[in-house]
Amino acid sequence: MLIPHPLLGPRDAQEFTYLGDARLLARPDGMAEGAEAAFYDYVYLRNNPAGVHRELWFHEHGDRSWLVVTRDTLTHDILGAELATDVVRRERPR
Amino acid sequence: MRVSKFSGFRLVREALRGHRGWTPLWRNPEPQPTYDIVIVGGGGHGLATAYYLAKVFGQTRIAVLEKGWLGSGNVGRNTTIIRSNYLLPGNQPFYEFSMKLWENLEQDLNFNAMVSQRGIINLIHSDAQRDAYRRRGNAMLLSGADARLLSREDLRDLVPFLNYDDARFPIRGGLMQPRAGTARHDGVAWGYARGADALGVDLVQNCEVTGFRTRDGRICGVETSRGPIDAGKVGIAVAGSSGRVMALAGLRLPIESHVLQAFVTEGLKPVIPGVLTFGAGHFYISQSDKGGLVFGGDIDGYNSYAQRGNLPVVEDVVESGMALMPMIGRARLLRSWGGVVDMSMDGSPIIDRTPVDGLYFNGGWCYGGFKATPASGYAFAHLIATGRPHASAAAYRLDRFARGHVIDERGAGAQPNLH
Amino acid sequence: MSRITGGVIDRGTTLSFHFDGKRYQGHPGDTLASALLANGVRLIGRSFKYHRPRGVFSSGAEEPNALVRLGSGARAEPNSRATVVELFDGLVATSQTHVGSLRRDALALNDLLAPFLPAGFYYKTFMWPKAFWESVYEPAIRRAAGLGRLSGEPDPDRYGRGFLHCEVLVIGGGAAGLAAALTAARAGARVVLADDDFRLGGRLLSESHDLDGVPAVEWVARAEAEFASLPNLRVLRRTTVFGAYDHGVYGAVERVSDHQPEPGDGMRQTLWRITAKRTVLAAGATERHIPFADNDRPGIMLAGAMRSFVNRWAATPQRTPADPVAIFTNNDDGHRTAQDLLARGVPVAGVVDTRDDAVAQGEYRVIAGATVTGTRGRLGLRAIKVTQAGRSEWVDCAALGVSGGWNPNVHLTCHHRGRPVWDAALLAFVPGSDNPPGLLAAGACAGRGSTRAALADGARMAAAALAEIGIAADPCELPEAEDSASPPQPFWYVPGTRRAWVDFQNDVTVKDIALAHQENMRPVEHLKRWTTLGMATDQGKTSNVTALAIMADLTGRTIPDTGTTVFRPPYAPVSLGVLGGGDQGENFRPRRLTPTHHWAKAQGAVFVEAGAWMRAQYFPQSGEAHWQQSVEREARAVRSAVGLCDVTTLGKIDVQGTDAGAFLDRLYCNAMASLKVGRVRYGLMLREDGFAYDDGTCARLAVDHYVVTTTTANAGLVYRNLEFARQCLWPEFDVQLVSVTDAWAQIAVAGPNSRALLERVVDGLDLSNAAFPFMACAGVTVCGGLRARLFRISFSGELAYEIAVPARYGHALMARLMDCGQDLGVTPYGTETLGVLRIEKGHPAGAEINGQTSAAMLGLGRMVSPAKDAIGAVMSRREGLAAETRRLIGLVPVDPAARLVAGAHLFPNGARQSLESGEGWITSACFSPQLGSRIGLGFLERGEDRLGDIIVAANPLEGESVPVRAVSLPFVDPTGERLRA
C-alpha cells in the first residue's frame, strides 16, 4: 500500500505503524463524571465498518507524524490523509 | 432421507457397484417460515453449534443460514492447526475441552476429518521466553492437557532441519504439546454439516441475513435474502462479519476485522513432522497429508474486509520461515490467500448473550477459531439451549471488558492488531 | 530423435543434459521439455494419485504433467515444470512421484485400485479401528502423497530484492505486450516490460504467421532492437509477475541465473516490487483440452503446445518424425496445428473435429462430427479410438493434439477479488469490470487473441493507460498480421464409461465431478475442495473452466451461474527462497550494538540478544568454568566494590517545552510536574486499559527539560505513545520530543566505591551525599570538559549512578573508568548480573510488567494518582482490576539447596493442584550470591498478608514441587541504607 503523506507525498505503508480507528483521537476527560463508561466505549468499542474508515497511522520510519488516513476497508482505496494534529485542532469542540 | 453410512466396507461395496449408492452429504432444503433456533453462519462454528444443539441438547426445528456455501468462511481458509496450549485459566480449559472433542470427532461424526496429532512445538530463543513457556506448559499440565519442555538437543532429534548454526536468534529449546496437530479444515465443516443434516437441521445456503426482527426487546426472527424467517432464538457465528451482522442488531463490539494471510507450497514428500512455531519471528508451519507446506504469520495489521493482503507481509512471513529452516528455499509457494479475522480487544473470544433477549453471539476468535470449532459449537449450543454458559466458556463474556476481566494471553492490551 | 528443421534454437551449439541418469543433447533456446521431445522421450513423470504415466502436455506455465526434480544436492528443486526450464549445458533432471523406476512404478498399483479411490474417499474410511489413523493409515498416506522431495539441506544460493517504479508496467512480451511497450516507450513514459519467457515474442514464436511479410521472429527482433535504444524502457526477461497488490504494487520474480549451472557470485533470483501508475496486462491465453476416455497418455498434448514445439523448437511430439499425429478439436485452431505439422513434414493421421460441418484446411483427413473415445499405449500413445455417428475405428498415431478453445489468462485481473465475466461468443471468461485499479487487460487475456487484434489492443490499451496519467501517445503503427478468430463449438467433454481426466496432476476425472454432483458437492468451491480439482501445482490452469462446464452440464445450469473459482497470487509458483531470502542466517534482523560493544568483546564478554540489541551477558575470566561463577564474581564486586554495566539500550527520550511537566503528568500515573529541577523520580506508565505498561526514571534537568527513560524492550513503543499523546491527544501543550536512545551512551556505575570512582572522572562536582543525594541529577562534564549527564539512581540497590556521555565517547569512558578504578576493584558486569541484582532488590522487570499485571499487583497501586487525569488511570479502577488481590512478593525455598524456577505455579501447601486453584506464579528466579540460595519473585494471592507462609511452587513440566516461603521485598538492604550511603 502507498500512503499519501500530506507533507511527504506517497510513502510505502511499511514506513508506518498502524494504530486503528481515528476515534482514538477523542479521548474522554478522565476527571469527568461517568468517565469509566466513556473510557470503556473509547478503549474497547469499535464501529469496525466494512467501507470507509478513518484510521491512525504513525510514520515511525519517517517523519514521526501521526496521520489520519481515510481508507476503504473493502477495497483498500485511500481517499485522503491528514496530519492528526490538524484534525484534532479542527474537530475538537472548544 | 437415508444417510450413507461411511466405512471402508461401504466404500468397497460402492466401488463394486459403480458408486451409484452414495447419497447427498446434505439436503438443499427450502427455508421454512419458522424455526425454534436459527444459527446465522454456516461455517465451522455455526455448523458445530447446530450439530450439538440437535445431538446433545435435544433441540429440534433448527436452521443454519449461510450467505454463501457451507464452510465458505474461515473454516475453509485457515492453516488447520489444533492445539490446547494456552496460559490463562479463562482459555486453557476451553481449548483442552475442544481437544478432547477433536480426539473423538471422527467416530462421533462418522466422517474422517483427518485429525492428526503430530504435535506442535513452540520454539524458545531466550531465557525469558523459556520462563514464560514454562509457566504456560505448567498451566497446560495443570488443566489436564499435555506438555513437554524440550532442550536444544531434543529439538535436534525431532526437527534436525532447523537452523541451529548461524541463526540471528539462536534456538534454545521448545515447548511441545504432543497431542496437538492438524485437522482437514474443509472436512470438519462437512462432517458437522452432514451430521447436523442427518439430525434434521436445515442447512440453507445462499441465504444472507439482512436484518433482525424483534418484539418488545426480544428476538423473533431474521430478515434474509430469501425472505423473513421467524425464530425463537438466534445464534450468530459469522467470523469475519461479526461487526456487520451485529450492527444490524444495533450493537457495537469490542472487535476489529483484520486480514490474515495464509500460504501453501507445492506438494512435497514428508519433511516436516508436526506443527512448528518460530519464537523470534512471525511464522508457523505444518505439512498437509497431501504434501503441501501450510504456513502463515502475522496479520497484515490494518482493518480490512478485503480477504486479501499485501506483499510486505508475504515477504516478512517467508523471510522468517527461511531464517528458521533454510531448507525450504527450494520449495515453491503455490497459493496465498487472506481471511478476515475478527480480532477482539483482548485476543480472546466471546460466547455470550446479547442485550437483545434471545439473540446470542459467538465471535472474536482472532486468528485461532479453527481449533476451537468443536468446543465453540458445544458451548454455544449449551448457552442457546440452556441459557447458561458452558463451564469451559464461562469467561467469554461480553461484559468482561467493561468489568476489567479481560483474558489477554499476550498482555498486549486493547489493541487488536497486537494480539 | 524427433528434431526437425527450423525453429528458434541455436543449432550451432550443442548442450548436453541428463534425465534420469541418461545423457541427451539439446540446443540453446530449448526448454527441458522441447529437448526431451526432440530426443524422443515421452514418458516424463507420474500423476499424483493413480501414478499414471505422463508426458509433456503443454508448452508453458500451465504444465500439469511434466514435473521433474531439477539439479542435485542442496540445489535440487522439486516439481519443476519441464516446459519452462531453460536448457543449459550440464542440466540434471530426475523424474519424481514414483517408487522404483519411472517405467515400473510400484505405486501404479493405485491405478488398479482406482475404483476404490473416488473423489473424497478418504473422508469415508480409515476411521476403524480408531488408533490406526495415526499409527497406520496416515503415515502410509503421507508417504505415498507429496510430489517431489526437498533436499533437506539449506538453500545455498543468494537472492536479491529490488524496487522498480514506472509509469507503465507491461506484463507479457507477446504481440499485445510488445505493441503496448513500443507505444508507451515511444511516448517517453517510464516503462517496465516483464516477460515470463527467456525470449520475447510470446506466441508469436510459436506460430508460423508472418508480420508485414516477414517471419514474426524477425519483427520481434526489430522491436527488441528498438527497445535497446530506449533508455526509458526496462525489459525484464525470465520475469514472472505473480501478484497484483494494493495501489499499483506488483510482485515479480526474475530468474536471474536459473538458466546457468550455478549462480556463481551472483543472485539466483530477484524479487522485484514494482510500483506502477498504470499496468497493461498482456498475459495471453491458455488452451484448454477436451476430456475423453484415457486422455492422459504420454503423447497427448494441447494442440497449441504441439504447434509451439514444432514451430519454435523444431521438436515433434512423437518418438520419431515419421510417426503419425492426430488432432482432436472443436474449433479451427486445431486445424492450424495440422497445417503447421504438415508444413514441417510431420504426417497427420487426421483431424477429429466435433463439428459436423468441419472441413479440411489442407491435405489431411477430417473426421467431422466425431469424438475421440479411447486410446491405447501404456507408456506412450499408440492409437486413438474415433467415434463418428455411432461407429468407431482405431486410428494409429503416436501423438494427439487436443484443442478445446482458449481461456484468457485473467488471473491478475482477479487478484483484488474481481470476478471474470462469461463471454458467450468466445465461450470463455474474460476480465470483468473490477480489475485492480490502474490495470488494463489487452490482447488474448482480454479475449482479443488474433495476432492483429492483440497487437492493436496492446497499442490501444497502452495509449489509454498513458492518457489516464496525462501522457499523450499514439498507438504504434501495426504490422500486417493474421486476424482470424476461431471461437470453439461448445463441446466440453466426451461422455463415456471409462475415466476421462479433467485435472491431470491430481487425477480428477469426469466421473469424480459426477460423483461430487451426486453427493451434492455442487457449489464450485465444494467441487474443488471435495475432488481436489484445480489444487495441483498448475492451480487448474487447464482444468477449472472445463470442470465448471461439466458441472453446469450435470446441474442444467449455465456456466456463469455455476460459478468461477477465485484466482489468488501467485500466478505461477514462486520459490520461497526468493520471497524470503533477502537477509538470512545471522543477517535475518539487524543487530544493534552498544557503544561499548567492541570494548566488551575485547574483554571476552559473552553476548546475548536483547530485542534487536546485543548486550554483554557476562564477562568470563580465566579459571571460570561456568557462567554462574562469573556472575557470582560480578555480583559480589558490585555489592562490595564497584561494577560497570552498559545500560545504553534503555530508552531515552528528551521532553522539552514549557508544558513538559503537565504533559508527563498525563503520561505517568504518578506526578511529574511537581518534580524539582535536579531530581529524578521513578515513574510508572499504564496502558489506557489500566494495566501496567512500562517503568523507568524521569529526570528534570531544567524547568522545561525532562529526560524520560524506558525499558529496553519498550523504547520505541513508549516514544510512539508519547508522540501520540503529543500530536493526537494534547496538541495544545507546548512540548517537543526527541528520542535520544542512540545519542547517549549510558553506563551504570554501581557499588560502594562508585562515588570514589566517579570523583576521578567528573569535573568539579561535589558528589557528596549532601550535595548530590540519592535521586539527584545534573548536567556535568567529565574527563576535562566532555559534556555528560549524571543521575544518582540505582537498579542494584547499592550506592549507584548512571552516567551518560555522547554515544561516540561511550567506549572511551568505559575504558577510562576501568583504568582509573583498578584500585577500587572496578569490575564490568553483564545483563545476567544486572538481573541477579535487581531480583535481590525486588525491582520489577519484563517478567513482572508483562502486560497482564496491574500497578496494584506490583505493589505500586498507590502511585496511581486519583488527583489527575493520566493515561490508564480511569480503567485501572475497573472492578476486575480493583478486585485483584495477587501481589508481588519474594520467595525462597525452604530447602536452600532446592531449585526454584520462573514459570512454576504457586499453591497452598497440601492443596490439590489445578489451573483454577492456582494462587499465582513465579516470575523471576536466580541464585543469589548474597543469600546463598535461589530466590524468586512472584505474584501470590493476598501476598502481602502471607509473608512467612510456606507454599508450594509446582513445576510439573519438569517434575518438581518445591516448598517455598513467602518473604517481603527487597531481599537486600530493606531499609535503603546502602542506596543512600
Side-chain angles (χ1 to χ4, degrees):
Chain A
M1 293 204 294
L2 300 176
I3 303 224
H5 192 299
L7 305 177
L8 303 173
R11 309 296 311 176
D12 195 301
Q14 268 186 294
E15 296 174 6
F16 293 79
T17 302
Y18 181 80
L19 179 63
D21 195 327
R23 290 178 68 257
L24 289 169
L25 296 175
R27 184 178 183 275
D29 178 358
M31 303 306 281
E33 198 67 15
E36 198 172 311
F39 266 90
Y40 162 63
D41 189 289
Y42 170 76
V43 171
Y44 288 113
L45 296 186
R46 298 287 181 269
N47 290 334
N48 194 24
V52 174
H53 188 231
R54 293 209 323 156
E55 57 198 25
L56 288 158
W57 294 75
F58 180 47
H59 200 196
E60 186 141 33
H61 305 289
D63 75 342
R64 295 175 173 183
S65 55
W66 279 92
L67 305 185
V68 174
V69 177
T70 306
R71 191 177 57 94
D72 189 318
T73 59
L74 282 166
T75 62
H76 298 171
D77 287 346
I78 291 185
L79 310 172
E82 291 180 89
L83 291 176
T85 302
D86 291 347
V87 174
V88 174
R89 293 204 168 116
R90 186 179 68 237
E91 295 184 356
R92 179 172 293 177
R94 298 258 159 208
Chain B
M1 188 183 69
R2 195 171 56 81
V3 178
S4 300
K5 168 91 175 152
F6 288 164
S7 69
F9 172 73
R10 174 79 196 284
L11 187 65
V12 169
R13 207 177 52 155
E14 284 298 334
L16 298 176
R17 54 178 194 160
H19 297 287
R20 287 191 304 272
W22 298 114
T23 52
L25 273 80
W26 47 79
R27 302 159 293 137
N28 282 349
E30 282 300 312
Q32 300 298 304
T34 304
Y35 291 97
D36 288 354
I37 301 173
V38 162
I39 303 298
V40 183
H45 291 220
L47 292 166
T49 303
Y51 174 76
Y52 290 117
L53 277 169
K55 174 90 186 273
V56 178
F57 298 98
Q59 303 294 305
T60 55
R61 305 207 321 149
I62 305 164
V64 175
L65 309 184
E66 166 54 49
K67 73 174 174 183
W69 36 278
L70 295 177
S72 56
N74 290 341
V75 73
R77 58 185 87 229
N78 59 74
T79 45
T80 79
I81 297 167
I82 60 172
R83 58 186 170 90
S84 57
N85 59 352
Y86 282 73
L87 169 70
L88 298 176
N91 273 329
Q92 174 59 15
F94 172 83
Y95 287 102
E96 177 54 23
F97 175 52
S98 205
M99 183 58 73
K100 292 196 165 71
L101 291 173
W102 281 118
E103 287 175 326
N104 290 297
L105 190 75
E106 278 115 357
Q107 286 65 36
D108 187 22
L109 297 177
N110 177 233
F111 194 95
N112 188 355
M114 293 174 233
V115 174
S116 173
Q117 296 177 290
R118 286 173 287 119
I120 186 170
I121 296 172
N122 290 21
L123 294 168
I124 292 170
H125 305 268
S126 70
D127 290 344
Q129 213 167 21
R130 183 184 296 109
D131 290 348
Y133 274 131
R134 190 185 285 116
R135 182 183 168 208
R136 190 200 292 212
N138 282 325
M140 291 158 65
L141 291 173
L142 289 165
S143 71
D146 58 319
R148 270 182 71 196
L149 197 61
L150 303 177
S151 68
R152 196 174 144 93
E153 289 65 39
D154 295 334
L155 285 169
R156 276 187 183 274
D157 286 344
L158 287 168
V159 279
F161 47 82
L162 303 183
N163 181 4
Y164 297 100
D165 302 326
D166 69 343
R168 170 70 177 81
F169 300 100
I171 295 166
R172 301 187 196 278
L175 179 67
M176 180 176 195
Q177 184 183 25
R179 284 163 64 243
T182 58
R184 168 81 187 123
H185 58 354
D186 290 324
V188 174
W190 298 335
Y192 276 118
R194 175 169 163 270
D197 177 83
L199 293 165
V201 174
D202 280 358
L203 307 177
V204 186
Q205 304 185 68
N206 302 308
C207 181
E208 180 169 7
V209 168
T210 55
F212 294 101
R213 306 164 74 205
T214 58
R215 193 181 303 127
D216 305 329
R218 190 184 160 78
I219 200 90
C220 60
V222 292
E223 307 285 350
T224 80
S225 57
R226 297 175 69 171
I229 297 174
D230 289 342
K233 295 174 180 176
V234 176
I236 308 297
V238 291
S241 300
S242 296
R244 282 189 280 189
V245 172
M246 295 312 281
L248 298 173
L251 298 176
R252 290 164 72 225
L253 296 171
I255 282 175
E256 283 182 7
S257 296
H258 284 256
V259 59
L260 175 66
Q261 299 192 64
F263 309 88
V264 65
T265 69
E266 297 176 339
L268 298 161
K269 286 293 174 194
V271 59
I272 293 176
V275 184
L276 279 167
T277 302
F278 192 21
H282 309 298
F283 182 75
Y284 50 89
I285 189 167
S286 66
Q287 186 169 16
S288 74
D289 284 348
K290 195 164 171 246
L293 306 183
V294 182
F295 61 95
D298 250 1
I299 56 176
D300 270 38
Y302 43 81
N303 286 51
S304 174
Y305 286 92
Q307 289 198 335
R308 59 186 178 83
N310 271 295
L311 189 54
V313 171
V314 180
E315 294 178 40
D316 187 54
V317 170
V318 181
E319 187 177 67
S320 292
M322 287 288 291
L324 179 63
M325 42 176 83
M327 65 140 185
I328 60 174
R330 259 26 205 201
R332 291 195 202 85
L333 177 69
L334 178 61
R335 189 173 169 88
S336 67
W337 62 95
V340 180
V341 291
D342 285 339
M343 300 299 297
S344 74
M345 286 286 167
D346 62 358
S348 295
I350 296 157
I351 301 177
D352 203 359
R353 290 184 288 264
T354 69
V356 181
D357 206 14
L359 179 65
Y360 301 86
F361 177 71
N362 173 326
W365 292 97
C366 300
Y367 42 76
F370 178 68
K371 72 180 95 67
T373 304
S376 169
Y378 198 102
F380 200 32
H382 184 283
L383 175 70
I384 293 170
T386 69
R388 297 186 312 277
H390 186 259
S392 73
Y396 295 152
R397 308 303 296 271
L398 201 46
D399 69 357
R400 68 175 186 267
F401 303 97
R403 296 173 55 231
H405 291 281
V406 293
I407 314 168
D408 187 350
E409 288 273 335
R410 284 206 184 181
Q415 196 181 328
N417 64 354
L418 298 183
H419 286 291
Chain C
M1 286 292 289
S2 65
R3 185 76 88 180
I4 52 176
T5 57
V8 195
I9 50 174
D10 172 12
R11 288 167 194 268
T13 306
T14 297
L15 307 175
S16 85
F17 67 100
H18 283 84
F19 175 65
D20 275 352
K22 198 169 164 199
R23 191 156 173 268
Y24 299 96
Q25 292 187 330
H27 300 290
D30 262 325
T31 63
L32 176 58
S34 71
L36 285 169
L37 286 175
N39 281 283
V41 178
R42 293 200 294 173
L43 176 64
I44 296 180
R46 292 272 175 170
S47 65
F48 174 76
K49 185 175 172 188
Y50 299 141
H51 289 253
R52 300 266 297 184
R54 294 288 168 78
V56 173
F57 183 69
S58 75
S59 59
E62 69 272 31
E63 177 61 32
N65 285 342
L67 304 188
V68 299
R69 188 181 208 230
L70 210 57
S72 58
R75 289 202 164 84
E77 188 174 29
N79 307 337
S80 299
R81 290 154 289 157
T83 50
V84 295
V85 172
E86 189 174 349
L87 195 69
F88 56 82
D89 198 48
L91 179 148
V92 175
T94 320
S95 61
Q96 53 181 38
T97 328
H98 53 82
V99 173
S101 75
L102 176 60
R103 297 177 69 86
R104 299 179 199 285
D105 176 7
L107 284 175
L109 174 70
N110 287 6
D111 199 32
L112 300 175
L113 297 175
F116 304 97
L117 314 174
F121 76 96
Y122 29 75
Y123 297 113
K124 300 174 177 175
T125 182
F126 304 130
M127 289 178 281
W128 185 88
K130 184 180 166 186
F132 271 36
W133 169 249
E134 249 122 0
S135 59
V136 179
Y137 301 133
E138 192 189 33
I141 290 170
R142 287 176 79 85
R143 273 197 303 276
L147 293 169
R149 191 179 298 279
L150 287 176
S151 71
E153 295 176 51
D155 190 332
D157 287 330
R158 295 198 300 135
Y159 296 86
R161 278 182 182 168
F163 295 79
L164 289 174
H165 296 262
C166 59
E167 278 150 337
V168 179
L169 167 64
V170 179
I171 301 171
L178 292 174
L182 278 174
T183 299
R186 283 177 185 170
R190 281 179 298 137
V191 181
V192 171
L193 169 62
D195 188 36
D196 208 11
D197 208 332
F198 51 88
R199 187 172 185 120
L200 292 182
R203 279 223 54 99
L204 290 175
L205 305 177
S206 294
E207 304 295 355
S208 52
H209 318 303
D210 289 346
L211 292 182
D212 271 349
V214 301
V217 178
E218 280 183 34
W219 186 84
V220 173
R222 279 183 217 158
E224 284 194 85
E226 184 173 348
F227 289 163
S229 73
L230 293 166
N232 52 324
L233 170 76
R234 177 163 185 165
V235 181
L236 295 174
R237 290 179 182 78
R238 303 183 177 92
T239 301
T240 306
V241 178
F242 63 81
Y245 296 92
D246 279 317
H247 308 158
V249 175
Y250 292 80
V253 167
E254 181 181 6
R255 292 172 295 281
V256 180
S257 55
D258 275 353
H259 59 294
Q260 292 157 359
E262 282 185 15
D265 292 334
M267 299 290 172
R268 180 186 169 220
Q269 299 178 345
T270 294
L271 176 65
W272 292 108
R273 201 187 292 178
I274 305 172
T275 306
K277 288 186 177 159
R278 288 292 180 276
T279 297
V280 176
L281 179 70
T286 301
E287 197 168 17
R288 59 194 180 218
H289 67 104
I290 306 170
F292 55 87
D294 295 328
N295 60 330
D296 67 329
R297 301 195 193 281
I300 300 175
M301 65 173 65
L302 293 167
M306 198 176 261
R307 214 152 66 227
S308 297
F309 288 120
V310 170
N311 289 331
R312 177 174 171 181
W313 287 293
T316 68
Q318 335 87 304
R319 263 185 305 110
T320 73
D323 295 331
V325 177
I327 303 293
F328 179 32
T329 187
N330 64 1
N331 66 83
D332 286 349
D333 205 56
H335 292 262
R336 195 181 273 176
T337 302
Q339 291 168 279
D340 283 3
L341 287 167
L342 282 174
R344 298 282 186 161
V346 178
V348 174
V351 174
V352 182
D353 196 318
T354 60
R355 298 171 297 179
D356 292 333
D357 57 354
V359 292
Q361 292 164 20
E363 297 298 309
Y364 55 85
R365 178 186 173 201
V366 169
I367 313 173
T371 56
V372 178
T373 52
T375 65
R376 283 183 190 145
R378 195 174 68 84
L379 299 178
L381 185 69
R382 283 188 287 112
I384 58 171
K385 184 181 177 188
V386 179
T387 301
Q388 185 188 34
R391 282 181 40 251
S392 296
E393 63 172 310
W394 283 94
V395 176
D396 286 345
C397 59
L400 176 69
V402 182
S403 178
W406 292 78
N407 289 324
N409 289 331
V410 299
H411 305 69
L412 265 72
T413 70
C414 303
H415 278 187
H416 287 198
R417 296 186 60 75
R419 296 284 175 151
V421 296
W422 184 251
D423 183 321
L426 277 178
L427 289 181
F429 284 103
V430 296
S433 56
D434 46 6
N435 291 347
L439 182 143
L440 295 83
C445 76
R448 294 177 282 271
S450 79
T451 310
R452 173 77 196 176
L455 288 163
D457 209 32
R460 188 168 64 88
M461 287 303 171
L466 290 167
E468 287 180 14
I469 53 173
I471 299 175
D474 296 322
C476 68
E477 74 287 358
L478 301 171
E480 284 299 314
E482 67 83 27
D483 194 17
S484 62
S486 57
Q489 184 189 27
F491 185 95
W492 294 99
Y493 69 105
V494 182
T497 53
R498 292 184 65 81
R499 285 175 296 170
W501 273 260
V502 182
D503 181 320
F504 290 98
Q505 191 181 125
N506 274 355
D507 283 318
V508 181
T509 65
V510 174
K511 279 187 184 181
D512 291 314
I513 297 173
L515 184 59
H517 175 261
Q518 178 183 331
E519 300 193 277
N520 196 21
M521 296 306 253
R522 294 175 195 176
V524 60
E525 286 288 337
H526 284 166
L527 167 66
K528 182 182 118 184
R529 291 155 187 258
W530 183 248
T531 63
T532 74
L533 181 130
M535 298 175 86
T537 60
D538 55 313
Q539 290 281 285
K541 289 190 177 70
T542 57
S543 63
N544 279 348
V545 175
T546 305
L548 274 177
I550 295 168
M551 183 55 92
D553 192 42
L554 291 165
T555 55
R557 300 166 73 188
T558 65
I559 291 171
D561 279 350
T562 302
T564 159
T565 49
V566 180
F567 294 104
R568 293 182 177 277
Y571 166 70
V574 176
S575 74
L576 297 188
V578 75
L579 283 175
D583 297 300
Q584 288 307 320
E586 294 180 16
N587 299 320
F588 167 56
R589 291 284 183 266
R591 271 166 214 268
R592 295 177 78 180
L593 304 183
T594 67
T596 65
H597 183 88
H598 298 296
W599 174 86
K601 197 167 183 179
Q603 310 306 308
V606 172
F607 293 91
V608 66
E609 307 76 31
W613 292 97
M614 298 303 295
R615 298 187 71 179
Q617 189 176 15
Y618 56 98
F619 293 80
Q621 289 195 348
S622 60
E624 291 172 350
H626 192 273
W627 63 268
Q628 190 82 48
Q629 290 173 286
S630 310
V631 171
E632 285 178 33
R633 173 183 49 74
E634 291 172 14
R636 272 196 300 272
V638 174
R639 296 260 180 249
S640 64
V642 58
L644 302 176
C645 183
D646 188 326
V647 293
T648 302
T649 62
L650 297 175
K652 301 184 272 302
I653 302 165
D654 263 30
V655 182
Q656 301 194 35
T658 53
D659 294 324
F663 177 74
L664 290 173
D665 263 359
R666 302 288 175 97
L667 271 299
Y668 284 107
C669 71
N670 52 323
M672 288 298 169
S674 58
L675 184 64
K676 291 191 175 63
V677 173
R679 302 292 291 174
V680 186
R681 187 173 286 168
Y682 176 74
L684 180 67
M685 291 186 189
L686 307 181
R687 283 190 315 237
E688 195 68 279
D689 69 351
F691 287 86
Y693 183 50
D694 199 68
D695 70 343
T697 58
C698 182
R700 192 167 196 176
L701 293 176
V703 173
D704 57 355
H705 184 186
Y706 289 77
V707 182
V708 164
T709 69
T710 75
T711 59
T712 298
N714 284 338
L717 304 177
V718 170
Y719 175 75
R720 185 195 303 165
N721 290 348
L722 260 60
E723 282 291 3
F724 179 74
R726 184 183 75 87
Q727 297 177 42
C728 299
L729 301 182
W730 298 291
E732 64 273 22
F733 280 146
D734 172 28
V735 61
Q736 296 297 328
L737 307 171
V738 189
S739 170
V740 294
T741 305
D742 293 293
W744 295 92
Q746 194 148 317
I747 295 170
V749 184
N753 292 346
S754 57
R755 180 182 290 124
L757 176 57
L758 279 175
E759 280 169 348
R760 296 177 186 183
V761 297
V762 174
D763 301 334
L765 182 76
D766 181 359
L767 290 181
S768 71
N769 220 2
F772 200 75
F774 180 56
M775 293 306 242
C777 67
V780 299
T781 65
V782 296
C783 305
L786 176 65
R787 70 197 167 96
R789 290 171 174 179
L790 185 65
F791 311 90
R792 188 172 161 189
I793 53 180
S794 177
F795 200 44
S796 59
E798 298 298 322
L799 168 69
Y801 303 80
E802 289 186 15
I803 182 158
V805 292
R808 63 188 179 279
Y809 293 101
H811 183 136
L813 177 66
M814 182 64 98
R816 177 73 63 92
L817 287 167
M818 286 299 294
D819 275 351
C820 59
Q822 289 303 321
D823 57 320
L824 299 171
V826 68
T827 301
Y829 65 99
T831 55
E832 211 57 51
T833 298
L834 194 72
V836 168
L837 298 172
R838 73 100 190 164
I839 292 172
E840 287 180 339
K841 189 62 188 170
H843 280 306
E848 288 76 33
I849 305 181
N850 68 353
Q852 300 168 323
T853 55
S854 63
M857 288 174 75
L858 295 163
L860 304 174
R862 277 192 301 245
M863 282 179 73
V864 185
S865 168
K868 67 182 178 92
D869 187 8
I871 289 187
V874 172
M875 295 307 258
S876 77
R877 294 191 272 268
R878 274 181 295 170
E879 173 216 314
L881 278 78
E884 175 64 67
T885 52
R886 287 174 294 191
R887 292 291 180 269
L888 188 67
I889 47 131
L891 296 158
V892 287
V894 174
D895 172 3
R899 202 170 97 103
L900 194 68
V901 292
H905 290 232
L906 301 176
F907 293 94
N909 208 358
R912 199 183 71 85
Q913 295 177 359
S914 75
L915 187 56
E916 289 77 10
S917 65
E919 295 202 302
W921 75 99
I922 300 182
T923 54
S924 305
C926 69
F927 177 80
S928 164
Q930 191 74 10
L931 278 73
S933 85
R934 288 188 70 88
I935 58 171
L937 303 179
F939 291 106
L940 177 67
E941 286 291 351
R942 297 172 288 105
E944 73 264 55
D945 302 334
R946 296 166 69 183
L947 301 178
D949 286 4
I950 292 179
I951 51 178
V952 171
N955 177 25
L957 196 60
E958 292 166 286
E960 296 171 340
S961 189
V962 178
V964 295
R965 191 184 306 278
V967 299
S968 65
L969 293 174
F971 292 96
V972 299
D973 190 26
T975 55
E977 287 164 31
R978 298 158 81 143
L979 205 60
R980 294 183 171 79

